[in-house]
Structures are given as C-alpha cells and as structure tokens.
Amino acid sequence: MSTAIAVTSADLVLPPTDPGPPQAALLPPPESRSLDASLADMQQLLARYGHVVVVCPTAAPTAVEHRLHAVRALLESDRIALVRTDLPPLGAAVLVRQLRQLAGCDFSPGVLASAARLLAHYIYAGAVLGSVSRLDRVPVSLGSHLKGWLPGAHFAVLAGPTPQIVRLGGGEGHLSGPEFATELLLARGQLQTDWPTSTLVPRWRIPGPVHEAPLPASSPGWWGTGKLVEFAAYLPDLPVLYQLVASVRRETCHWCGMELIGDRCGFCVAPLAPPSPPDPGVRALGAGAQAGAHARVLGPGARSARAALP
C-alpha cells in the first residue's frame, strides 16, 4: 500500500507541478465535522492506503491539533503520523506538494514522514510586507519596528531556513538565498510591488518562470498584515527531491520499528537511540560519504544548507 498525505486546510493543496502525484486528503476542521465523522474519515484513509501522514502547521488553531490527537488515540493506531511545520502558509503548501510527489515513490511511510523536516530546510519562504509592527513569528528588531512607521516603508522578510529582515530601499543589504537551482512561487495580497520578480529572481538566479497561486487565507494572520506578497523558492524536480531524501542514512525507530531519517521518528516522535561508539575511522568515512551525496544532489551550495539538516 502507498501512503496518504492529509492536510488540515485547503490552503495547503497546490496544483501539481508534474502529472501523477497523489491527491492530498483534506481533513475538515473540528467545527464543521463531528468527532465520529473524523474517526470514520481516518479509518477510510487507513483502509485504503495503510498509513497516513498528516501535515498540520504549528500556526493552526489549537482545536485542530487536539482533534488530530484525539482521532489517533481513539483509533489506537500507530499508522498515523502528525507532522508539524513552522513554515509560513505558502511554504507549508510547497512542502505538502513535495511530500505528495515523494508519496508516489518507493519510500516507506516512516521515511516519508521524517523527510518533511529535511525538505523544510530547502524551502526559502518569505514575504514582502508593508508593515512588520504585528509580525511575531519572525524576530523583528526595535529598529525595524520604528522604521515600519515611515511612510511607504516595505520590508523583505525571510522566515526560513534562516530568519532575515531587510528594509527595501534602505541600503540595508539583501536576503540571502539558496545556492542551488530553485523555482519561485508567489501569492499576492494587498501590497502592490514587483520586487520579488524584478529583484529577488535575478539575485537568487532563479532561471525558470515565476509561478503564482492564490494567497492562502491564513497568510495575513501569519504575517500580521494583509499588505503583502508571499513567496517561496523550492526544489521543483522529483528526481532531485528523491535523491536528496534517498542520500540520507536510514535508521530504525527503537520504539515503533518504523524506518526514519534524521534524529527522530515521524510517527511516534521518539528520538533516535544513541548508537554504540563505532570505530573512529568508520565514523569519519560515513560522515564524508553523506556529505558527498548531498553535494552531488544539489551542487556546491549544498554544503551551507547541509548544516541545518536534522
């Protein structure tokens, strides 16, 4: 059986970039669905696919998280993974689309669930904002808050992988972007600006066309303003995504027995058990092999991004 990718909001479902990826299953919000109905929905997904990976942003209402935990507990199922992500709405939607792409490959459910943390480090998610006065999900300096009161002030903000804020037109530097080939997705709010296409695209050396999507309904709340243009630079090609995930060493969760990559299980969230001390020469060889694999997949820029791997 394959693995179902489920989401907690329709905003997390983007059109596919290539034909054939599985559709995402939408789990209705608790206020519109009874607990019994939610249980039935999840049982159907498990019966059809065997395992379910649910992507739920950390910014989602608390009631959504509580419902997911209740469903998993009542079903007493170890085949449901709850993947939380700190990415802003458009970046989270890109992550879901990448997981959908990989769900059609030969990865086990455990590898697919734990791959979400790895993939998030290669999504450059940000926005151009008309104000940062209500932005509380990215660190904002006092100076940026004060400059936000200046007439016509605009800010370019990167939420991840490394938070950054620069005032546009203020000579305060620029956003550090990916050092590997990406595509750019835009979602336009109420702010009128062409900065992402006129400045960000050439600076980040994005070769392909810029794609656009409707602004997620949760974006104004996440960014603290409706005057924004949200963007996300990402790896679009399935072969590259596949090699990126496949190049990471796989482990077996000591608690639930699922396969995983990184330092924790995507299903039971148990941390990776510390290994017995290997021979120093073998350990050095293994680290070098993994570093070389990522460099071959993404090129020279992978070395800086690799430091953020889980």
Side-chain angles (χ1 to χ4, degrees):
M1 289 187 178
S2 57
T3 303
I5 304 299
V7 295
T8 56
S9 168
D11 289 342
L12 295 174
V13 183
L14 293 171
T17 56
D18 50 273
Q23 293 293 324
L26 176 60
L27 304 179
E31 61 269 20
S32 66
R33 198 76 165 162
S34 68
L35 178 58
D36 287 342
S38 294
L39 288 169
D41 292 341
M42 187 61 70
Q43 286 176 319
Q44 290 180 0
L45 287 174
L46 289 172
R48 180 177 179 182
Y49 294 97
H51 293 82
V52 179
V53 174
V54 184
V55 180
C56 178
T58 54
T62 304
V64 173
E65 181 184 3
H66 288 173
R67 172 61 61 87
L68 292 173
H69 283 290
V71 167
R72 188 168 64 175
L74 290 172
L75 291 179
E76 297 182 344
S77 176
D78 57 359
R79 295 181 292 149
I80 304 171
L82 304 182
V83 174
R84 309 303 305 275
T85 177
D86 295 325
L87 287 169
L90 192 64
V94 168
L95 174 63
V96 169
R97 185 164 64 184
Q98 291 178 335
L99 289 174
R100 289 167 55 196
Q101 290 176 278
L102 293 171
C105 300
D106 56 358
F107 291 120
S108 68
V111 169
L112 191 62
S114 53
R117 295 180 63 216
L118 169 66
L119 296 175
H121 289 297
Y122 293 90
I123 297 174
Y124 283 68
V128 182
L129 307 179
S131 171
V132 293
S133 61
R134 296 184 179 180
L135 178 62
D136 58 5
R137 298 187 181 277
V138 178
V140 182
S141 67
L142 177 60
S144 294
H145 270 299
L146 295 176
K147 292 171 184 175
W149 293 99
L150 297 175
H154 291 169
F155 295 85
V157 183
L158 195 64
T162 302
Q164 302 173 59
I165 297 181
V166 296
R167 179 171 174 254
L168 301 185
E172 299 179 15
H174 55 83
L175 296 182
S176 299
E179 299 179 14
F180 44 87
T182 61
E183 288 187 0
L184 190 70
L185 180 66
L186 293 182
R188 299 184 183 275
Q190 300 173 10
L191 187 66
Q192 299 298 319
T193 177
D194 62 352
W195 184 86
T197 53
S198 64
T199 302
L200 196 63
V201 166
R203 181 165 289 160
W204 285 5
R205 299 179 182 179
I206 297 174
V210 175
H211 306 281
E212 296 203 21
L215 185 73
S218 56
S219 290
W222 201 98
W223 292 103
T225 177
K227 294 182 178 181
L228 80 158
V229 175
E230 193 170 5
F231 59 83
Y234 59 96
L235 295 166
D237 298 326
L238 177 57
V240 176
L241 293 172
Y242 183 92
Q243 290 180 51
L244 177 63
V245 175
S247 66
V248 181
R249 178 179 175 177
R250 302 184 191 187
E251 306 282 355
T252 300
C253 177
H254 67 94
W255 184 260
C256 69
M258 297 292 285
E259 262 193 324
L260 64 93
I261 59 175
D263 62 358
R264 76 182 61 170
C265 178
F267 275 81
C268 71
V269 200
L272 182 65
S276 55
D279 179 80
V282 174
R283 180 167 51 189
L285 177 61
Q290 180 169 313
H294 282 279
R296 287 193 298 273
V297 171
L298 299 176
R303 298 188 181 279
S304 59
R306 190 174 62 250
L309 289 178

